[in-house]
Amino acid sequence: MFKTRNEPLELTILRFLNARMKLSEKDMNIYLTHEKGFYGEKKFDELLLEYLSEEWLIISDLLLEYNNTYFQIDTVLLSHEITFLIDVKNYKGDYYIKSDKWYSELSEKEIKNPLEQLKRSESLFRRYIQDLGFTLSIESYLVFINPEFTLYQAPRNPTIIFPSQLQRFMNKLKKMKPKVKNLTLAQKLVSDHIKENPFVRLPLYSYDQLKKGIICEKCCSLNNLVQNYSIICKECGHKEKVHSAVLRSVDEYRKLFPDRKVMTNSIYDWCGGIISENRIQRILVRNFKLFGQGKSSYYI
């Protein structure tokens, strides 16, 4: 892939918070939606790598701005003649369309029309590349990747790819041979990608209200113990090296509290006191640069 897909910071932080505090119903729904959406996008990435040759330029997860308007595209496939814009949805369950509005049958609530979102992104993308001096044919597709998704009263629309059509769609792409890699446009898209999403919305939290400990990298439990050089989760039995677990915890601490300094005693407290300060200090010294002396020293 020319640009791989990274886990959104919003999802990462929500996952951390879910392990360390009780999220409100609204925040929990946001977290689960992000988790499900990212999983679906990664599954689609795997299909692309399976079906498409290296001749294709694949750009994942683009956030661009045109004329003071932000727009996001899950996947861009670049060839010399055609640019494919793909929006991936991991909806599960039954949905229906009524008077051009989309509804969840389970909740009977209206949801955002994903076709309208796709049309908006395509329109902004078209004007964006035209201003750059590129003239390309653009095809947009709305891909539903979850096999347990059903849409009733769906219009006959070739831009919608249902789960039962996904393999045929991938075979169609596979048969196409991009003539020339459009590296200039690909490089411009990646350089213009906005790394910090301005629409991130997180629940309020503070250091004191969060549970302390080391999150299991498999089941996200905080219930674990240290045995020699390993940490073992009491819930799922997963084993991890202490060194690796401490570095993960430092990364989590820095993401949740970017304004707090990484100090030996702060990481000791963050890890729930199950690893000695001396051991944590040795790990920090080997992996970070030390500034200052004595109790006020910190690591970068």
Side-chain angles (χ1 to χ4, degrees):
M1 285 192 175
F2 193 81
K3 178 185 176 299
T4 56
R5 190 181 311 279
N6 295 319
E7 182 173 288
L9 180 61
E10 185 175 9
L11 169 58
T12 303
I13 291 180
L14 283 170
R15 188 183 297 122
F16 292 155
L17 293 179
N18 184 51
R20 296 184 181 272
M21 64 181 280
K22 182 174 178 58
L23 294 177
S24 68
E25 183 179 353
K26 178 183 176 182
D27 290 329
M28 178 60 79
N29 287 334
I30 292 172
Y31 162 56
L32 294 175
T33 297
H34 281 305
E35 196 81 80
K36 184 172 64 175
F38 183 66
Y39 177 80
E41 291 162 6
K42 294 292 287 184
K43 292 294 289 183
F44 186 70
D45 291 344
E46 293 171 6
L47 283 174
L48 291 177
L49 292 176
E50 177 185 347
Y51 279 86
L52 301 190
S53 69
E54 294 182 357
E55 293 175 286
W56 286 90
L57 285 171
I58 304 173
I59 302 175
S60 299
D61 189 28
L62 269 183
L63 177 61
L64 300 170
E65 181 185 4
Y66 177 77
N67 200 22
N68 297 318
T69 303
Y70 293 94
F71 63 102
Q72 192 162 3
I73 304 170
D74 290 338
T75 303
V76 178
L77 303 178
L78 283 177
S79 70
H80 183 61
E81 296 179 342
I82 301 176
T83 297
F84 295 92
L85 307 183
I86 300 174
D87 190 14
V88 180
K89 297 298 182 186
N90 190 21
Y91 293 173
K92 180 180 179 181
D94 297 334
Y95 293 76
Y96 64 93
I97 298 176
K98 184 178 180 181
S99 301
D100 291 329
K101 295 182 179 180
W102 291 53
Y103 297 88
S104 164
E105 191 164 274
L106 180 63
S107 66
E108 296 187 349
K109 291 182 179 179
E110 183 180 354
I111 65 170
K112 288 184 178 179
N113 186 329
L115 279 177
E116 292 299 324
Q117 293 175 288
L118 182 61
K119 289 176 185 176
R120 173 183 176 275
S121 295
E122 179 185 330
S123 175
L124 290 166
F125 184 84
R126 191 182 301 277
R127 284 180 280 168
Y128 162 83
I129 65 169
Q130 285 175 349
D131 282 3
L132 294 175
F134 293 95
T135 304
L136 296 170
S137 175
I138 298 175
E139 293 185 14
S140 297
Y141 292 94
L142 180 63
V143 173
F144 292 98
I145 198 162
N146 196 316
E148 296 184 48
F149 168 77
T150 301
L151 180 63
Y152 295 101
Q153 298 165 235
R156 186 176 179 181
N157 191 330
T159 64
I160 299 178
I161 308 299
F162 292 106
S164 59
Q165 300 171 309
L166 190 53
Q167 187 168 343
R168 276 175 285 162
F169 177 66
M170 299 307 301
N171 285 327
K172 170 189 170 182
L173 293 177
K174 184 177 181 179
K175 291 176 182 177
M176 299 177 66
K177 299 292 183 182
K179 294 181 180 179
V180 180
K181 287 185 176 182
N182 203 329
L183 281 171
T184 304
L185 177 56
Q187 290 166 348
K188 179 61 177 172
L189 290 173
V190 173
S191 68
D192 284 354
H193 168 66
I194 300 167
K195 294 181 180 179
E196 293 189 12
N197 192 328
F199 304 110
V200 170
R201 298 290 182 268
L202 294 169
L204 295 175
Y205 62 91
S206 66
Y207 182 85
D208 291 337
Q209 79 181 102
L210 299 185
K211 297 176 184 177
K212 308 304 185 290
I214 295 178
I215 295 177
C216 172
E217 62 179 344
K218 288 294 183 183
C219 73
C220 293
S221 169
L222 289 168
N223 187 14
N224 43 49
L225 57 87
V226 177
Q227 284 188 356
N228 299 322
Y229 295 101
S230 298
I231 288 181
I232 301 173
C233 176
K234 294 181 180 179
E235 300 296 327
C236 71
H238 177 69
K239 182 184 290 188
E240 182 182 12
K241 295 293 185 183
V242 167
H243 176 271
S244 171
V246 169
L247 291 181
R248 276 197 309 104
S249 297
V250 172
D251 180 65
E252 178 192 3
Y253 180 84
R254 292 168 66 192
K255 284 186 169 72
L256 286 170
F257 306 102
D259 296 329
R260 294 177 71 107
K261 291 180 179 179
V262 174
M263 307 171 73
T264 300
N265 60 347
S266 63
I267 299 304
Y268 169 78
D269 183 65
W270 183 244
C271 292
I274 65 172
I275 301 170
S276 70
E277 288 193 62
N278 288 338
R279 197 169 188 179
I280 287 175
Q281 185 178 40
R282 289 197 298 270
I283 294 171
L284 294 177
V285 166
R286 288 199 300 266
N287 292 276
F288 299 94
K289 188 173 181 180
L290 177 65
F291 285 82
Q293 294 180 342
K295 292 185 178 181
S296 62
S297 63
Y298 61 96
Y299 298 86
I300 295 180

